[in-house]
C-alpha cells in the first residue's frame, strides 16, 4: 500500500503518533504538497493515526461528508466551508421551519424541505464549482446520482465517512439537542453498516490506496475518519484546473 500524504513535512499520513520521522536528508522536492491527496480507500479511524491537516481534491470535485446523525458531519462541514459552499439539509429544515406556524409539526412540511435540499444540491453540482454535500451515507442512489452529475462536467466524486459508532453518534445528538427518531436512526445505521462492512479488509488501518469496493465504486476516493481523527482535519483545498 502506498503512503503518499503527510500531515506536515516530515510525518507520513497514517503513521502512528510517536513513530520515527523520515530521514532528515530527504530532498524537499520529494515531499508531497501541503494538502494530502486521497486516492482509493484511506483508513484514518485509529486514534493513533496522524491524520492530515488538509485534504486536497481536484478542481470542481463533489465531496460528500457521510455518517450517522450526531457523528459530527455539520460541524466538520462548517469547518471546511471556507474552501467551498456546503449544502446541508439542516439549512433547508430551518428555512421551512421559519416559514411555517410553530404549531405545525415538521413532518407535515418535511417533503418540501427535502425537495429544497435536493434542488440546492443539483444547482451546486451543475455550477461546475466544487461543493460539499451533507449525506447520511445510507443511500447509494444519491452517491451514484452525484457521481453522474459531476462526471458529466469532467469532475469527480469523493467521499469522507465519519465512523464514530452508534453510542457516540447518539451522544452527539444529545449534546447538540437535535435528535432524530429511532426508526430513522436505525434505517441510517443499517444502510451505513452495509457500506462499512464492505470496507472491512479493503485497506489496513492507517494505510492508504486500497481499492474502493463495488458498494462505493462511484467515489474516486473514500477517507474514513474516527472520533479522534475527525478533529485533526481542519480544512480542504481544491487544486486549480490545469
Amino acid at each position: 500500500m502506498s503512503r503518499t500524504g503527510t500531515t506536515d513535512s516530515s510525518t507520513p499520513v497514517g503513521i502512528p503518533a510517536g513513530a520515527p520521522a523520515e530521514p532528515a536528508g530527504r530532498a524537499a522536492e520529494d515531499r508531497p504538497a501541503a494538502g494530502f491527496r486521497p486516492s482509493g480507500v484511506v483508513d484514518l479511524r485509529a486514534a493513533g493515526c496522524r491524520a492530515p491537516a488538509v485534504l486536497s481534491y481536484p478542481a470542481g470535485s463533489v465531496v460528500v461528508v457521510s455518517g450517522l446523525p450526531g457523528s459530527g458531519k455539520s460541524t466538520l462541514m462548517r469547518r471546511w466551508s471556507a474552501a467551498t459552499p456546503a449544502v446541508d439539509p439542516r439549512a433547508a429544515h430551518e428555512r421551512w421551519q421559519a416559514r411555517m406556524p410553530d404549531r405545525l409539526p415538521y413532518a407535515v412540511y418535511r417533503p418540501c424541505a427535502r425537495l429544497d435540499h435536493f434542488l440546492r444540491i443539483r444547482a451546486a453540482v451543475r455550477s461546475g464549482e466544487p461543493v460539499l454535500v451533507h449525506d447520511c451515507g445510507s443511500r447509494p442512489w444519491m452517491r451514484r446520482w452525484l457521481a453522474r452529475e459531476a462526471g458529466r462536467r469532467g469532475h469527480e466524486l469523493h467521499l469522507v465517512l465519519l465512523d464514530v459508532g452508534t453510542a457516540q453518534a447518539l451522544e452527539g445528538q444529545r449534546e447538540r439537542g437535535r435528535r432524530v427518531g429511532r426508526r430513522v436512526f436505525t434505517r441510517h445505521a443499517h444502510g451505513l453498516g452495509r457500506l462499512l462492512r464492505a470496507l472491512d479488509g479493503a485497506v489496513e488501518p492507517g494505510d492508504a490506496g486500497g481499492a474502493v469496493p463495488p458498494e462505493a465504486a462511484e467515489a474516486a476516493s473514500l477517507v474514513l475518519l474516527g472520533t479522534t481523527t475527525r478533529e485533526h482535519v481542519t480544512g480542504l483545498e481544491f487544486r486549480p484546473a490545469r
Side-chain angles (χ1 to χ4, degrees):
M1 301 292 181
S2 62
R3 294 181 178 89
T4 57
T6 63
T7 57
D8 53 40
S9 62
S10 62
T11 307
V13 132
I15 296 298
E22 65 184 31
R26 181 179 177 185
E29 58 268 22
D30 291 336
R31 295 179 183 139
F36 171 61
R37 302 182 180 190
S39 177
V41 179
V42 183
D43 190 349
L44 300 174
R45 289 175 289 182
C49 284
R50 185 83 60 86
V54 177
L55 296 177
S56 178
Y57 293 104
S61 293
V62 176
V63 180
V64 177
V65 181
S66 296
L68 288 174
S71 62
K73 299 185 297 297
S74 294
T75 300
L76 201 60
M77 290 178 68
R78 282 195 297 271
R79 190 188 309 161
W80 292 352
S81 61
T84 192
V87 186
D88 189 326
R90 184 70 191 175
H93 180 162
E94 291 174 350
R95 279 192 298 272
W96 280 89
Q97 189 176 48
R99 297 174 185 175
M100 298 296 165
D102 291 342
R103 65 180 181 278
L104 197 64
Y106 176 60
V108 173
Y109 55 90
R110 182 190 292 121
C112 296
R114 286 180 173 175
L115 178 60
D116 182 356
H117 177 58
F118 178 81
L119 292 175
R120 286 173 186 271
I121 291 175
R122 186 177 67 174
V125 174
R126 289 183 175 180
S127 75
E129 297 297 319
V131 62
L132 274 170
V133 176
H134 177 297
D135 186 67
C136 63
S138 62
R139 300 177 294 185
W141 66 266
M142 173 65 84
R143 295 194 303 271
R144 290 193 291 266
W145 173 75
L146 286 168
R148 286 195 301 270
E149 288 292 316
R152 286 172 182 154
R153 292 152 185 82
H155 300 146
E156 296 176 340
L157 175 76
H158 295 266
L159 183 61
V160 176
L161 180 54
L162 299 180
D163 180 15
V164 304
T166 300
Q168 183 66 44
L170 290 171
E171 176 63 17
Q173 290 183 52
R174 188 193 65 77
E175 290 177 353
R176 294 168 180 80
R178 296 202 300 263
R179 295 180 182 271
V180 301
R182 179 176 295 182
R183 185 167 57 181
V184 172
F185 184 85
T186 300
R187 185 175 71 246
H188 288 328
H190 285 167
L192 193 62
R194 285 194 296 270
L195 178 56
L196 289 170
R197 286 191 294 274
L199 291 169
D200 287 344
V203 67
E204 293 297 322
D207 214 338
V212 177
E215 290 78 2
E218 61 277 357
S221 74
L222 195 163
V223 175
L224 288 152
L225 297 175
T227 304
T228 300
T229 54
R230 68 183 175 181
E231 307 300 331
H232 297 169
V233 186
T234 58
L236 297 185
E237 66 179 17
F238 293 89
R239 304 188 294 278
R242 294 182 178 179

